[in-house]
Amino acid sequence: MIRHLIAAIATILALWASYYMYTLDKQVHKLDEIHRIIKASEIKVQLKKPAVVKEETQPTAEENAAAAEEALKSKTKELDKKLEALKNKAGNLSAFKVSKLYKQNCSSCHGVNGRGIIGPNLVGKSKEYILEQLKEFKSGKRRNYVMYGLLQKMDEEKLDQLATEISTFKEKWDKYNNQ
Ligand code: HEC
């Protein structure tokens, strides 16, 4: 009798257990479903995101276009300037036949015509004044590293040549302008 009872209880337990398993399974399934829904909504969100990003990038694209235009403008300006400089150079070169000594050592800063670029304008200054400055730069009395360094390799004769040449720039320049 007891055996039957135990068997009955065991059967009930087994049934209950399998029902419980079934409900668990259902819950798991539900959870799966929820997970799936969340994932799906994530995909939706992800799909939405690019749309939002697109809206944000639109002004940036315009900005980019504006920046490109600006860059083009400044490039054009730059080219215009370069062209102008080239024209000047061509004009100046035809008017000024400077010595190799001046051209190679001085023109990069004082200009092919002596009008000055980085270095000051030398046109209109007397030979005596220029020679004195060159000597003082060379000795270090007048302090300027660039001029000092540059003149170390030059002897008095060269300084004299340069001073003489530079002092004629004004005359050359006037001639050129009166042509
Ligand atoms: C790398 C640039 C550079 C080069 C190259 C250069 N100079 Fe100069 N020069 C200068 C600068 C900068 C000054 C202004 C220095 C100062 O005022 O202290 C100057 C000043 C002078 C001055 C004085 C002008 C004044 O009004 O007092 C004379 C003259 C001169 N340079 C002649 C020459 C000669 C000649 C050469 C070529 C042998 C030469 N320079 C090469 C940059 C240069």
Side-chain angles (χ1 to χ4, degrees):
M1 186 61 189
I2 283 175
R3 267 191 198 166
H4 285 286
L5 204 64
I6 288 168
I9 288 167
T11 310
I12 286 164
L13 269 175
L15 276 174
W16 177 80
S18 60
Y19 175 72
Y20 184 68
M21 288 304 281
Y22 167 73
T23 53
L24 266 184
D25 202 48
K26 235 185 166 180
Q27 264 172 3
V28 167
H29 187 69
K30 253 189 207 160
L31 281 176
D32 268 355
E33 192 73 6
I34 288 166
H35 187 67
R36 206 174 54 75
I37 288 166
I38 288 171
K39 262 209 161 166
S41 70
E42 260 175 16
I43 289 166
K44 262 183 209 157
V45 168
Q46 270 177 0
L47 280 174
K48 260 188 188 169
K49 262 187 195 163
V52 170
V53 168
K54 248 187 193 170
E55 275 168 22
E56 278 172 356
T57 51
Q58 248 156 13
T60 322
E62 276 164 23
E63 275 166 25
N64 279 344
E69 205 177 313
E70 199 57 42
L72 194 67
K73 265 188 200 164
S74 71
K75 190 85 196 165
T76 312
K77 260 190 202 164
E78 198 183 295
L79 284 174
D80 278 351
K81 265 190 194 166
K82 271 189 187 161
L83 192 67
E84 194 61 33
L86 273 176
K87 275 185 193 166
N88 282 341
K89 214 175 185 182
N92 294 337
L93 277 174
S94 64
F96 279 83
K97 298 254 181 310
V98 295
S99 68
K100 215 174 160 190
L101 185 66
Y102 176 84
K103 200 174 169 186
Q104 282 180 350
N105 295 291
C106 323
S107 67
S108 56
C109 293
H110 293 283
V112 281
N113 52 15
R115 291 256 148 199
I117 304 170
I118 302 163
N121 183 8
L122 301 174
V123 178
K125 282 161 189 166
S126 71
K127 183 196 164 180
E128 292 71 32
Y129 174 80
I130 294 166
L131 189 57
E132 198 184 318
Q133 302 316 306
L134 293 181
K135 281 180 182 167
E136 288 191 356
F137 278 132
K138 193 181 170 186
S139 71
K141 195 175 165 197
R142 181 170 171 183
R143 299 187 73 141
N144 183 272
Y145 282 119
V146 177
M147 295 300 302
Y148 175 83
L150 204 86
L151 297 179
Q152 288 317 300
K153 58 178 183 205
M154 292 190 192
D155 55 22
E156 290 244 349
E157 202 192 317
K158 275 187 181 162
L159 297 190
D160 198 278
Q161 271 176 28
L162 282 166
T164 307
E165 184 182 0
I166 294 165
S167 68
T168 66
F169 280 1
K170 173 136 176 53
E171 203 186 323
K172 276 194 193 172
W173 183 256
D174 289 345
K175 241 192 214 165
Y176 170 63
N177 281 327
N178 290 330
Q179 266 172 6

